Amino acid sequence: MRTQMATEAGTSTKPSDDRVLLGPNLLVVLDGVTEKAGSGCMHGVPWFADQLSAAIMRFVHLEPGPALKEALRHTAELHAGTCDLGHPGTPGAAVALVQIQDDRLRYLVLGDATVVVDTKQDLLVVSGTGAAAANPDAVDDALVGELALQDVRRLAILTDGAARAVDMFGLFDWPKALDLMASSGPDDLIRRMRQVEKEDAKAVDWPRDKVFDDATVVFFERKLS
Ligand SMILES: [Zn+2]
């Protein structure tokens, strides 16, 4: 098994709100929801993304859904006393998590992130909605699934700022995107996408809120026996 990761902030003036966790059996990508003027939180999105990342590591002995629920509960407790967690702008994150345990691969997507799994039979593309914020019950809306590890050839996890290479710009389809990552690495996908974004710097050809967004890709491949 081999894992590669690439991440790049959308601008040089603001640190990325994306986070990546890699363990021997764990691949996680988080994308902090862009900060709004009012949030009811004195800490901010980067703090939330850091705390939630740490809490996911703490609870990852559980299956993905329960792990994320406990991580959200724990993170909420860290600032329930100082912040208004009922505020609609309370910090949140998109989370995509892949866990490998024994002969099973489990995934969870909550929010605008994408997991692409290339199996021996077909290609699974999972993109979520919503966000992981203060309420652990949001995890009930996550997209979850489970596959036999032996059927998995390779997979990618992308924040929306990277998935737009395929689902907005149409630079390649998903199989070709995976081929590119396998041959040139996930950083090549981001590099090629940035080139397109630069050429459309006024967001005319591809209308979008963020001309450049934080972009993160984790790419994993198994050697088939
Ligand atoms: Zn707070």
Side-chain angles (χ1 to χ4, degrees):
M1 299 190 203
R2 180 169 78 134
T3 305
Q4 299 178 74
M5 189 271 283
T7 186
E8 190 179 299
T11 75
S12 56
T13 52
K14 187 175 160 296
S16 174
D17 287 333
D18 289 357
R19 302 289 185 273
V20 176
L21 305 170
L22 297 179
N25 300 306
L26 178 73
L27 315 166
V28 186
V29 168
L30 284 91
D31 177 2
V33 173
T34 300
E35 201 139 7
K36 299 184 184 65
S39 70
C41 173
M42 60 185 281
H43 303 94
V45 170
W47 176 89
F48 179 84
D50 287 338
Q51 300 305 322
L52 184 59
S53 299
I56 288 172
M57 284 309 265
R58 181 172 172 166
F59 292 108
V60 82
H61 55 282
L62 304 171
E63 290 194 10
L68 183 56
K69 258 193 183 185
E70 286 304 315
L72 285 170
R73 192 169 289 130
H74 178 76
T75 305
E77 279 169 7
L78 293 176
H79 64 152
T82 52
C83 307
D84 172 14
L85 303 192
H87 194 290
T90 194
V95 179
L97 189 157
V98 169
Q99 191 184 60
I100 296 164
Q101 213 165 40
D102 303 322
D103 56 352
R104 307 297 292 172
L105 182 144
R106 299 187 180 95
Y107 63 84
L108 175 151
V109 182
L110 178 59
D112 198 0
T114 301
V115 172
V116 185
V117 188
D118 185 13
T119 74
K120 289 174 185 169
Q121 293 84 25
D122 59 0
L123 187 80
L124 184 69
V125 181
V126 185
S127 293
T129 57
N135 184 357
D137 291 342
V139 177
D140 295 338
D141 297 328
L143 302 171
V144 294
E146 188 172 330
L147 298 151
L149 181 61
Q150 63 165 3
D151 289 341
V152 175
R153 297 175 59 215
R154 52 195 184 173
L155 69 87
I157 311 176
L158 305 93
T159 58
D160 63 330
R164 55 164 68 168
V166 174
D167 60 27
M168 182 186 289
F169 303 128
L171 278 174
F172 0 73
D173 57 17
W174 283 116
K176 287 213 169 59
L178 294 171
D179 288 345
L180 175 78
M181 292 184 230
S183 61
S184 320
D187 53 329
D188 198 33
L189 179 136
I190 295 177
R191 191 181 56 76
R192 290 178 189 221
M193 182 188 69
R194 290 291 188 232
Q195 190 57 41
V196 173
E197 290 172 325
K198 270 182 212 151
E199 287 165 9
D200 184 38
K202 294 206 164 87
V204 173
D205 294 338
W206 290 280
R208 55 198 192 274
D209 289 341
K210 296 175 185 170
V211 175
F212 306 96
D213 194 4
D214 299 337
T216 297
V217 186
V218 169
F219 179 68
F220 165 89
E221 48 191 339
R222 275 185 72 237
K223 278 223 165 64
L224 297 179
S225 50

